[in-house]
Amino acid sequence: MKTYSKIVMNGEKCYREFHEDTGFYGQTTLTEQELTEQLLLEITKEIIEIDNGEVDKAISTIPDQNQREIVQRYLEYLERIAESF
């Protein structure tokens, strides 16, 4: 895992990667935003995109009303769980 040093100069924060195996710093200095984006890219396993319109269309194709309601309630349950995180 990479480690970084936080450097504050004249009130401005930046980050520089530290290579523990060599004891030297990397060449690149990153802003907090750049470091955050880089770390998120490194730890993101996959991107899941959900189109609610497509989901609603798919549910509407289920012929049985009871099964449609079961699927809809389950999706609402999953949304509540996701929102709790």
Side-chain angles (χ1 to χ4, degrees):
M1 175 182 257
K2 296 179 181 179
T3 60
Y4 294 84
S5 292
K6 181 178 182 178
I7 303 164
V8 181
M9 290 189 299
N10 300 324
E12 301 220 6
K13 294 181 274 186
C14 62
Y15 297 83
R16 192 166 238 180
E17 183 180 358
F18 181 74
H19 300 278
E20 293 184 14
D21 54 334
T22 63
F24 291 101
Y25 285 96
Q27 298 294 324
T28 307
T29 301
L30 302 170
T31 65
E32 193 166 25
Q33 179 67 32
E34 291 169 332
L35 178 60
T36 300
E37 290 174 11
Q38 179 178 319
L39 293 173
L40 285 172
L41 284 173
E42 290 176 12
I43 64 168
T44 300
K45 182 177 178 179
E46 64 182 305
I47 297 173
I48 300 170
E49 293 186 34
I50 299 171
D51 181 338
N52 286 337
E54 290 294 317
V55 172
D56 290 340
K57 279 198 297 187
I59 291 173
S60 71
T61 64
I62 299 172
D64 184 90
Q65 175 68 26
N66 290 331
Q67 290 176 345
R68 274 196 310 273
E69 289 175 6
I70 290 170
V71 171
Q72 188 61 47
R73 282 194 305 270
Y74 185 65
L75 285 175
E76 290 167 0
Y77 164 73
L78 292 175
E79 288 171 353
R80 285 193 302 274
I81 290 175
E83 289 171 359
S84 70
F85 292 113

